[in-house]
Amino acid sequence: MKYIVSFIFSLILCCCSFEQENKPFRYTPPSPVDGKLKGVIELGSFGFNSFVIYMDEDRNWDLKNAEYGINAVYENEGEKEIIESLKQYLKHLSDFGVSDENKYFVISSGAIKNEKVQKVASLIKKSGYNLSIVTPEEEGEYALKSILPYTFKKEAFVVDIGSGNTKITWIENDKMVSLESYGARYKQKKISDAEAFQDVIEKSKKVPQSKRKLCFIMGGIPYEMAKIDRERQQRYTVLKTVDAYYFDDERLRSGLNLYNGIRVATGCDRFVFDWDSNFSIGFLLSIKY
């Protein structure tokens, strides 16, 4: 009899955990008032991403346009063709009403290690455009600024799982703490699943207990997971446990391994993906208004 009672109790606990994990995240960010349009073109590891936001002086913002994974400039094109491609992306920003002084280029800390990205960055600098190459610490800071609502800063942390690295960030004593672990392309560096799993666990364990109630998560791998779970056009999607996902792609499987390590280490059961936030938008929120 005691085994039956124990089984039923365990089942109740599992159901409660499942309900908590998959409970929709309901939050509406404040809307910007009397703001400006700002645009950024991000050079990622696999191509260009482009974002236009409307933001006010208090850093409230709305996403007006987003384009992902535009890879043409990474092919075997000459300098002239690459410059023409860059001009087209800048024109896209103009089409949405972004003025020239509010257009920026930004390169992630992982992407700058790519030789093709370095080539494009050199051409951007020669052309006189606004270009910023961010460090892993800055990337974590920008990710946090875009995705972590002020309301939740005392109880939540932020994760950004990218191809080049993974950033784990939180606010402690009004200062940002950011740690870096392997990205989802770790196998290209001859890193095993076990080694990557252990490293991300060690980093994640440093997140204070008080910050583990909720995790805001972004990056290419969480994006692929959220696509499976998204309902309608909601801004926030609560991700499920790792066993709810299956991918054939090596990079995505490696990303799931990292995601699982973070869940195991922190015990956090609510990972909220924000469809609008990313470190490039955080960069825009950090520059002079």
Side-chain angles (χ1 to χ4, degrees):
M1 181 70 181
K2 66 179 181 179
Y3 297 110
I4 296 176
V5 173
S6 177
F7 173 76
I8 293 174
F9 181 69
S10 298
L11 187 61
I12 292 172
L13 286 178
C14 289
C15 289
C16 290
S17 176
F18 182 82
E19 289 175 1
Q20 170 70 6
E21 173 191 312
N22 291 281
K23 182 181 177 182
F25 179 72
R26 305 194 186 282
Y27 171 74
T28 303
S31 298
V33 178
D34 295 327
K36 297 178 181 178
L37 286 168
K38 292 182 179 285
V40 60
I41 297 172
E42 170 196 325
L43 277 71
S45 298
F46 294 95
F48 277 13
N49 300 318
S50 175
F51 307 100
V52 175
I53 66 170
Y54 181 70
M55 62 174 282
D56 64 18
E57 203 164 4
D58 294 326
R59 268 51 183 181
N60 299 315
W61 61 277
D62 284 333
L63 180 64
K64 295 301 181 183
N65 187 61
E67 296 179 52
Y68 296 94
I70 309 164
N71 298 298
V73 295
Y74 288 177
E75 304 303 326
N76 296 320
E77 295 183 347
E79 290 191 13
K80 182 178 179 181
E81 289 77 16
I82 292 175
I83 291 296
E84 286 304 313
S85 294
L86 296 176
K87 288 180 178 179
Q88 286 301 312
Y89 290 117
L90 289 168
K91 184 179 182 299
H92 289 171
L93 299 185
S94 296
D95 291 342
F96 279 92
V98 181
S99 60
D100 289 343
E101 65 269 21
N102 288 320
K103 298 174 184 176
Y104 300 87
F105 284 93
V106 66
I107 303 179
S108 68
S109 55
I112 195 58
K113 300 172 184 176
N114 184 317
E115 290 184 5
K116 292 182 179 179
V117 176
Q118 292 171 12
K119 178 182 178 182
V120 176
S122 177
L123 292 173
I124 291 173
K125 288 181 180 179
K126 288 180 181 178
S127 301
Y129 298 126
N130 293 316
L131 172 66
S132 295
I133 301 172
V134 303
T135 65
E137 292 77 17
E138 289 173 330
E139 201 168 333
E141 175 187 353
Y142 297 153
L144 184 143
K145 282 190 175 183
S146 73
I147 199 172
L148 180 62
Y150 183 84
T151 307
F152 298 97
K153 74 172 189 176
K154 292 183 178 180
E155 60 187 270
F157 67 106
V158 172
V159 167
D160 184 354
I161 304 179
S163 294
N165 53 32
T166 293
K167 280 76 61 182
I168 304 163
T169 315
W170 65 92
I171 298 292
E172 190 171 347
N173 298 323
D174 292 325
K175 293 183 179 180
M176 188 200 73
V177 180
S178 184
L179 302 176
E180 181 184 7
S181 186
Y182 295 111
R185 288 283 183 185
Y186 59 76
K187 288 190 176 179
Q188 291 184 352
K189 301 177 182 178
K190 309 301 181 185
I191 304 297
S192 68
D193 287 331
E195 187 177 351
F197 185 74
Q198 188 58 39
D199 186 78
V200 81
I201 280 183
E202 290 176 3
K203 303 292 172 55
S204 300
K205 282 183 177 179
K206 296 181 181 180
V207 176
Q209 287 288 342
S210 62
K211 310 288 183 180
R212 300 183 184 184
K213 296 178 183 177
L214 184 64
C215 177
F216 290 92
I217 190 166
M218 63 172 65
I221 283 73
Y223 167 79
E224 294 297 331
M225 297 161 67
K227 279 201 305 186
I228 298 171
D229 298 326
R230 193 179 195 185
E231 297 178 3
R232 298 181 295 278
Q233 293 299 309
Q234 72 209 74
R235 173 163 175 175
Y236 299 101
T237 298
V238 180
L239 302 185
K240 298 175 182 176
T241 54
V242 66
D243 55 358
Y245 306 98
Y246 175 80
F247 299 112
D248 288 326
D249 182 81
E250 180 181 89
R251 179 179 67 94
L252 297 180
R253 289 200 306 270
S254 297
L256 281 180
N257 183 43
L258 297 169
Y259 170 68
N260 191 37
I262 296 167
R263 289 190 71 116
V264 168
T266 62
C268 179
D269 60 8
R270 297 203 78 199
F271 284 74
V272 179
F273 181 83
D274 181 355
W275 285 88
D276 288 358
S277 292
N278 57 66
F279 89 89
S280 294
I281 289 176
F283 165 79
L284 290 176
L285 297 173
S286 301
I287 60 180
K288 185 177 178 180
Y289 179 72

PDB file of all heavy atoms in Angstrom, residues 7 37 55 69 79 87 90 112 147 152 154 170 178 180 186 188-189 220 225 239 245 254 266 270 284:
ATOM      1  N   PHE A   7       3.788   6.212  -5.162  1.00  0.00           N
ATOM      2  CA  PHE A   7       3.686   6.389  -6.613  1.00  0.00           C
ATOM      3  C   PHE A   7       2.729   7.532  -6.953  1.00  0.00           C
ATOM      4  O   PHE A   7       3.012   8.374  -7.802  1.00  0.00           O
ATOM      5  CB  PHE A   7       3.205   5.089  -7.260  1.00  0.00           C
ATOM      6  CG  PHE A   7       2.906   5.228  -8.726  1.00  0.00           C
ATOM      7  CD1 PHE A   7       3.939   5.287  -9.655  1.00  0.00           C
ATOM      8  CD2 PHE A   7       1.595   5.338  -9.172  1.00  0.00           C
ATOM      9  CE1 PHE A   7       3.663   5.436 -11.005  1.00  0.00           C
ATOM     10  CE2 PHE A   7       1.317   5.481 -10.514  1.00  0.00           C
ATOM     11  CZ  PHE A   7       2.354   5.528 -11.437  1.00  0.00           C
ATOM     12  N   LEU A  37      13.166  55.774 -34.283  1.00  0.00           N
ATOM     13  CA  LEU A  37      13.459  54.516 -34.954  1.00  0.00           C
ATOM     14  C   LEU A  37      14.967  54.316 -34.993  1.00  0.00           C
ATOM     15  O   LEU A  37      15.715  55.232 -35.346  1.00  0.00           O
ATOM     16  CB  LEU A  37      12.907  54.519 -36.374  1.00  0.00           C
ATOM     17  CG  LEU A  37      11.392  54.374 -36.517  1.00  0.00           C
ATOM     18  CD1 LEU A  37      10.965  54.700 -37.944  1.00  0.00           C
ATOM     19  CD2 LEU A  37      10.939  52.971 -36.133  1.00  0.00           C
ATOM     20  N   MET A  55      12.135  53.104 -30.038  1.00  0.00           N
ATOM     21  CA  MET A  55      12.448  53.199 -28.611  1.00  0.00           C
ATOM     22  C   MET A  55      12.351  54.633 -28.126  1.00  0.00           C
ATOM     23  O   MET A  55      12.543  55.582 -28.896  1.00  0.00           O
ATOM     24  CB  MET A  55      13.848  52.651 -28.332  1.00  0.00           C
ATOM     25  CG  MET A  55      14.977  53.400 -29.011  1.00  0.00           C
ATOM     26  SD  MET A  55      16.622  52.813 -28.522  1.00  0.00           S
ATOM     27  CE  MET A  55      16.799  53.609 -26.921  1.00  0.00           C
ATOM     28  N   GLY A  69      19.099  35.420 -40.875  1.00  0.00           N
ATOM     29  CA  GLY A  69      19.817  34.412 -41.647  1.00  0.00           C
ATOM     30  C   GLY A  69      20.023  34.721 -43.101  1.00  0.00           C
ATOM     31  O   GLY A  69      19.846  33.862 -43.964  1.00  0.00           O
ATOM     32  N   GLU A  79      34.857  42.222 -53.254  1.00  0.00           N
ATOM     33  CA  GLU A  79      34.604  43.378 -52.398  1.00  0.00           C
ATOM     34  C   GLU A  79      33.466  44.236 -52.931  1.00  0.00           C
ATOM     35  O   GLU A  79      32.624  44.719 -52.170  1.00  0.00           O
ATOM     36  CB  GLU A  79      35.876  44.218 -52.267  1.00  0.00           C
ATOM     37  CG  GLU A  79      36.959  43.544 -51.439  1.00  0.00           C
ATOM     38  CD  GLU A  79      38.082  44.501 -51.106  1.00  0.00           C
ATOM     39  OE1 GLU A  79      37.906  45.717 -51.305  1.00  0.00           O
ATOM     40  OE2 GLU A  79      39.134  44.039 -50.631  1.00  0.00           O
ATOM     41  N   LYS A  87      24.992  47.895 -48.787  1.00  0.00           N
ATOM     42  CA  LYS A  87      24.175  49.069 -49.115  1.00  0.00           C
ATOM     43  C   LYS A  87      22.693  48.701 -49.207  1.00  0.00           C
ATOM     44  O   LYS A  87      21.819  49.495 -48.830  1.00  0.00           O
ATOM     45  CB  LYS A  87      24.648  49.688 -50.428  1.00  0.00           C
ATOM     46  CG  LYS A  87      25.986  50.411 -50.319  1.00  0.00           C
ATOM     47  CD  LYS A  87      26.408  51.000 -51.668  1.00  0.00           C
ATOM     48  CE  LYS A  87      27.727  51.760 -51.544  1.00  0.00           C
ATOM     49  NZ  LYS A  87      28.170  52.311 -52.857  1.00  0.00           N
ATOM     50  N   LEU A  90      21.348  48.453 -45.695  1.00  0.00           N
ATOM     51  CA  LEU A  90      21.157  49.799 -45.165  1.00  0.00           C
ATOM     52  C   LEU A  90      19.912  50.445 -45.767  1.00  0.00           C
ATOM     53  O   LEU A  90      19.190  51.183 -45.094  1.00  0.00           O
ATOM     54  CB  LEU A  90      22.393  50.649 -45.444  1.00  0.00           C
ATOM     55  CG  LEU A  90      23.636  50.277 -44.631  1.00  0.00           C
ATOM     56  CD1 LEU A  90      24.876  50.962 -45.186  1.00  0.00           C
ATOM     57  CD2 LEU A  90      23.450  50.634 -43.165  1.00  0.00           C
ATOM     58  N   ILE A 112      33.000  36.946 -34.784  1.00  0.00           N
ATOM     59  CA  ILE A 112      34.223  37.626 -35.218  1.00  0.00           C
ATOM     60  C   ILE A 112      35.386  36.642 -35.380  1.00  0.00           C
ATOM     61  O   ILE A 112      36.393  36.964 -36.018  1.00  0.00           O
ATOM     62  CB  ILE A 112      34.607  38.753 -34.218  1.00  0.00           C
ATOM     63  CG1 ILE A 112      35.646  39.693 -34.829  1.00  0.00           C
ATOM     64  CG2 ILE A 112      35.072  38.166 -32.902  1.00  0.00           C
ATOM     65  CD1 ILE A 112      35.225  40.362 -36.101  1.00  0.00           C
ATOM     66  N   ILE A 147      16.115  41.544 -22.904  1.00  0.00           N
ATOM     67  CA  ILE A 147      15.166  40.470 -22.592  1.00  0.00           C
ATOM     68  C   ILE A 147      14.666  40.452 -21.159  1.00  0.00           C
ATOM     69  O   ILE A 147      13.594  39.922 -20.876  1.00  0.00           O
ATOM     70  CB  ILE A 147      15.800  39.097 -22.930  1.00  0.00           C
ATOM     71  CG1 ILE A 147      14.718  38.020 -23.070  1.00  0.00           C
ATOM     72  CG2 ILE A 147      16.829  38.692 -21.872  1.00  0.00           C
ATOM     73  CD1 ILE A 147      15.237  36.695 -23.574  1.00  0.00           C
ATOM     74  N   PHE A 152      11.382  41.642 -13.171  1.00  0.00           N
ATOM     75  CA  PHE A 152      11.835  40.293 -12.821  1.00  0.00           C
ATOM     76  C   PHE A 152      13.324  40.214 -12.478  1.00  0.00           C
ATOM     77  O   PHE A 152      13.853  39.116 -12.328  1.00  0.00           O
ATOM     78  CB  PHE A 152      11.528  39.333 -13.975  1.00  0.00           C
ATOM     79  CG  PHE A 152      10.066  39.202 -14.297  1.00  0.00           C
ATOM     80  CD1 PHE A 152       9.500  39.942 -15.325  1.00  0.00           C
ATOM     81  CD2 PHE A 152       9.257  38.363 -13.559  1.00  0.00           C
ATOM     82  CE1 PHE A 152       8.148  39.832 -15.624  1.00  0.00           C
ATOM     83  CE2 PHE A 152       7.899  38.246 -13.853  1.00  0.00           C
ATOM     84  CZ  PHE A 152       7.345  38.988 -14.889  1.00  0.00           C
ATOM     85  N   LYS A 154      15.024  40.633  -9.874  1.00  0.00           N
ATOM     86  CA  LYS A 154      15.390  40.063  -8.581  1.00  0.00           C
ATOM     87  C   LYS A 154      15.205  38.550  -8.524  1.00  0.00           C
ATOM     88  O   LYS A 154      15.705  37.909  -7.601  1.00  0.00           O
ATOM     89  CB  LYS A 154      14.573  40.720  -7.461  1.00  0.00           C
ATOM     90  CG  LYS A 154      14.910  42.185  -7.228  1.00  0.00           C
ATOM     91  CD  LYS A 154      14.115  42.742  -6.047  1.00  0.00           C
ATOM     92  CE  LYS A 154      14.500  44.195  -5.784  1.00  0.00           C
ATOM     93  NZ  LYS A 154      13.718  44.756  -4.633  1.00  0.00           N
ATOM     94  N   TRP A 170      23.102  37.557 -14.960  1.00  0.00           N
ATOM     95  CA  TRP A 170      22.111  37.981 -13.982  1.00  0.00           C
ATOM     96  C   TRP A 170      22.551  39.295 -13.335  1.00  0.00           C
ATOM     97  O   TRP A 170      23.671  39.753 -13.531  1.00  0.00           O
ATOM     98  CB  TRP A 170      21.887  36.899 -12.925  1.00  0.00           C
ATOM     99  CG  TRP A 170      23.082  36.607 -12.047  1.00  0.00           C
ATOM    100  CD1 TRP A 170      23.382  37.180 -10.839  1.00  0.00           C
ATOM    101  CD2 TRP A 170      24.132  35.665 -12.306  1.00  0.00           C
ATOM    102  NE1 TRP A 170      24.551  36.664 -10.336  1.00  0.00           N
ATOM    103  CE2 TRP A 170      25.027  35.722 -11.215  1.00  0.00           C
ATOM    104  CE3 TRP A 170      24.405  34.781 -13.355  1.00  0.00           C
ATOM    105  CZ2 TRP A 170      26.172  34.935 -11.143  1.00  0.00           C
ATOM    106  CZ3 TRP A 170      25.550  33.998 -13.287  1.00  0.00           C
ATOM    107  CH2 TRP A 170      26.410  34.066 -12.190  1.00  0.00           C
ATOM    108  N   SER A 178      28.240  38.096 -15.712  1.00  0.00           N
ATOM    109  CA  SER A 178      28.095  37.314 -16.941  1.00  0.00           C
ATOM    110  C   SER A 178      29.187  36.262 -17.024  1.00  0.00           C
ATOM    111  O   SER A 178      30.366  36.557 -16.831  1.00  0.00           O
ATOM    112  CB  SER A 178      28.169  38.236 -18.165  1.00  0.00           C
ATOM    113  OG  SER A 178      27.931  37.508 -19.359  1.00  0.00           O
ATOM    114  N   GLU A 180      30.680  32.818 -19.385  1.00  0.00           N
ATOM    115  CA  GLU A 180      30.682  32.271 -20.739  1.00  0.00           C
ATOM    116  C   GLU A 180      31.011  30.780 -20.718  1.00  0.00           C
ATOM    117  O   GLU A 180      31.923  30.345 -20.019  1.00  0.00           O
ATOM    118  CB  GLU A 180      31.697  33.011 -21.607  1.00  0.00           C
ATOM    119  CG  GLU A 180      31.746  32.517 -23.052  1.00  0.00           C
ATOM    120  CD  GLU A 180      32.838  33.196 -23.869  1.00  0.00           C
ATOM    121  OE1 GLU A 180      33.639  33.950 -23.279  1.00  0.00           O
ATOM    122  OE2 GLU A 180      32.902  32.952 -25.089  1.00  0.00           O
ATOM    123  N   TYR A 186      30.510  23.409 -30.398  1.00  0.00           N
ATOM    124  CA  TYR A 186      31.693  22.972 -29.642  1.00  0.00           C
ATOM    125  C   TYR A 186      32.373  21.738 -30.233  1.00  0.00           C
ATOM    126  O   TYR A 186      33.578  21.547 -30.057  1.00  0.00           O
ATOM    127  CB  TYR A 186      31.342  22.736 -28.171  1.00  0.00           C
ATOM    128  CG  TYR A 186      30.270  21.720 -27.877  1.00  0.00           C
ATOM    129  CD1 TYR A 186      30.520  20.346 -27.953  1.00  0.00           C
ATOM    130  CD2 TYR A 186      28.995  22.121 -27.473  1.00  0.00           C
ATOM    131  CE1 TYR A 186      29.535  19.421 -27.658  1.00  0.00           C
ATOM    132  CE2 TYR A 186      28.001  21.207 -27.181  1.00  0.00           C
ATOM    133  CZ  TYR A 186      28.274  19.847 -27.275  1.00  0.00           C
ATOM    134  OH  TYR A 186      27.302  18.918 -26.989  1.00  0.00           O
ATOM    135  N   GLN A 188      33.137  21.232 -33.239  1.00  0.00           N
ATOM    136  CA  GLN A 188      34.134  21.674 -34.212  1.00  0.00           C
ATOM    137  C   GLN A 188      35.468  21.981 -33.531  1.00  0.00           C
ATOM    138  O   GLN A 188      36.503  22.029 -34.187  1.00  0.00           O
ATOM    139  CB  GLN A 188      33.619  22.914 -34.958  1.00  0.00           C
ATOM    140  CG  GLN A 188      32.451  22.632 -35.877  1.00  0.00           C
ATOM    141  CD  GLN A 188      32.033  23.849 -36.676  1.00  0.00           C
ATOM    142  OE1 GLN A 188      32.514  24.961 -36.454  1.00  0.00           O
ATOM    143  NE2 GLN A 188      31.128  23.655 -37.626  1.00  0.00           N
ATOM    144  N   LYS A 189      35.424  22.206 -32.227  1.00  0.00           N
ATOM    145  CA  LYS A 189      36.634  22.476 -31.450  1.00  0.00           C
ATOM    146  C   LYS A 189      37.138  21.210 -30.743  1.00  0.00           C
ATOM    147  O   LYS A 189      37.966  21.284 -29.840  1.00  0.00           O
ATOM    148  CB  LYS A 189      36.354  23.561 -30.407  1.00  0.00           C
ATOM    149  CG  LYS A 189      35.881  24.881 -31.009  1.00  0.00           C
ATOM    150  CD  LYS A 189      35.555  25.880 -29.908  1.00  0.00           C
ATOM    151  CE  LYS A 189      35.048  27.183 -30.488  1.00  0.00           C
ATOM    152  NZ  LYS A 189      34.667  28.159 -29.421  1.00  0.00           N
ATOM    153  N   GLY A 220      19.972  30.907 -31.160  1.00  0.00           N
ATOM    154  CA  GLY A 220      19.515  30.104 -32.285  1.00  0.00           C
ATOM    155  C   GLY A 220      18.884  28.783 -31.907  1.00  0.00           C
ATOM    156  O   GLY A 220      17.892  28.354 -32.511  1.00  0.00           O
ATOM    157  N   MET A 225      13.670  25.505 -30.761  1.00  0.00           N
ATOM    158  CA  MET A 225      12.793  24.831 -29.803  1.00  0.00           C
ATOM    159  C   MET A 225      11.466  25.568 -29.693  1.00  0.00           C
ATOM    160  O   MET A 225      10.395  24.956 -29.690  1.00  0.00           O
ATOM    161  CB  MET A 225      13.492  24.757 -28.442  1.00  0.00           C
ATOM    162  CG  MET A 225      14.772  23.945 -28.454  1.00  0.00           C
ATOM    163  SD  MET A 225      15.854  24.295 -27.046  1.00  0.00           S
ATOM    164  CE  MET A 225      14.883  23.662 -25.685  1.00  0.00           C
ATOM    165  N   LEU A 239       9.579  27.112 -22.846  1.00  0.00           N
ATOM    166  CA  LEU A 239      10.177  25.899 -23.401  1.00  0.00           C
ATOM    167  C   LEU A 239       9.925  24.692 -22.500  1.00  0.00           C
ATOM    168  O   LEU A 239       9.743  24.832 -21.285  1.00  0.00           O
ATOM    169  CB  LEU A 239      11.683  26.098 -23.591  1.00  0.00           C
ATOM    170  CG  LEU A 239      12.110  27.256 -24.491  1.00  0.00           C
ATOM    171  CD1 LEU A 239      13.630  27.244 -24.668  1.00  0.00           C
ATOM    172  CD2 LEU A 239      11.423  27.190 -25.850  1.00  0.00           C
ATOM    173  N   TYR A 245      12.170  17.425 -27.283  1.00  0.00           N
ATOM    174  CA  TYR A 245      12.695  17.875 -28.573  1.00  0.00           C
ATOM    175  C   TYR A 245      13.621  16.819 -29.177  1.00  0.00           C
ATOM    176  O   TYR A 245      14.346  16.122 -28.464  1.00  0.00           O
ATOM    177  CB  TYR A 245      13.477  19.180 -28.406  1.00  0.00           C
ATOM    178  CG  TYR A 245      12.693  20.268 -27.716  1.00  0.00           C
ATOM    179  CD1 TYR A 245      12.855  20.506 -26.353  1.00  0.00           C
ATOM    180  CD2 TYR A 245      11.777  21.046 -28.416  1.00  0.00           C
ATOM    181  CE1 TYR A 245      12.128  21.498 -25.711  1.00  0.00           C
ATOM    182  CE2 TYR A 245      11.051  22.046 -27.781  1.00  0.00           C
ATOM    183  CZ  TYR A 245      11.229  22.257 -26.425  1.00  0.00           C
ATOM    184  OH  TYR A 245      10.516  23.234 -25.794  1.00  0.00           O
ATOM    185  N   SER A 254      23.677  19.558 -29.963  1.00  0.00           N
ATOM    186  CA  SER A 254      24.647  20.084 -29.006  1.00  0.00           C
ATOM    187  C   SER A 254      24.020  21.201 -28.171  1.00  0.00           C
ATOM    188  O   SER A 254      24.271  21.306 -26.964  1.00  0.00           O
ATOM    189  CB  SER A 254      25.885  20.609 -29.742  1.00  0.00           C
ATOM    190  OG  SER A 254      26.549  19.560 -30.427  1.00  0.00           O
ATOM    191  N   THR A 266      20.649  24.468 -12.369  1.00  0.00           N
ATOM    192  CA  THR A 266      19.902  25.515 -11.663  1.00  0.00           C
ATOM    193  C   THR A 266      18.608  25.013 -11.029  1.00  0.00           C
ATOM    194  O   THR A 266      18.108  25.628 -10.075  1.00  0.00           O
ATOM    195  CB  THR A 266      19.542  26.670 -12.614  1.00  0.00           C
ATOM    196  OG1 THR A 266      18.693  26.175 -13.667  1.00  0.00           O
ATOM    197  CG2 THR A 266      20.803  27.281 -13.210  1.00  0.00           C
ATOM    198  N   ARG A 270      11.264  26.987 -15.547  1.00  0.00           N
ATOM    199  CA  ARG A 270      10.556  27.898 -16.465  1.00  0.00           C
ATOM    200  C   ARG A 270      11.570  28.676 -17.280  1.00  0.00           C
ATOM    201  O   ARG A 270      12.210  29.605 -16.793  1.00  0.00           O
ATOM    202  CB  ARG A 270       9.637  28.856 -15.705  1.00  0.00           C
ATOM    203  CG  ARG A 270       8.518  28.161 -14.960  1.00  0.00           C
ATOM    204  CD  ARG A 270       7.363  29.121 -14.724  1.00  0.00           C
ATOM    205  NE  ARG A 270       6.559  29.301 -15.936  1.00  0.00           N
ATOM    206  CZ  ARG A 270       5.745  30.315 -16.139  1.00  0.00           C
ATOM    207  NH1 ARG A 270       5.644  31.268 -15.246  1.00  0.00           N
ATOM    208  NH2 ARG A 270       5.033  30.403 -17.242  1.00  0.00           N
ATOM    209  N   LEU A 284      21.400  48.450 -29.196  1.00  0.00           N
ATOM    210  CA  LEU A 284      20.709  49.690 -29.519  1.00  0.00           C
ATOM    211  C   LEU A 284      20.209  50.391 -28.255  1.00  0.00           C
ATOM    212  O   LEU A 284      20.223  51.625 -28.158  1.00  0.00           O
ATOM    213  CB  LEU A 284      19.537  49.433 -30.461  1.00  0.00           C
ATOM    214  CG  LEU A 284      19.879  49.019 -31.891  1.00  0.00           C
ATOM    215  CD1 LEU A 284      18.592  48.717 -32.670  1.00  0.00           C
ATOM    216  CD2 LEU A 284      20.681  50.089 -32.602  1.00  0.00           C
TER     217      LEU A 284
END
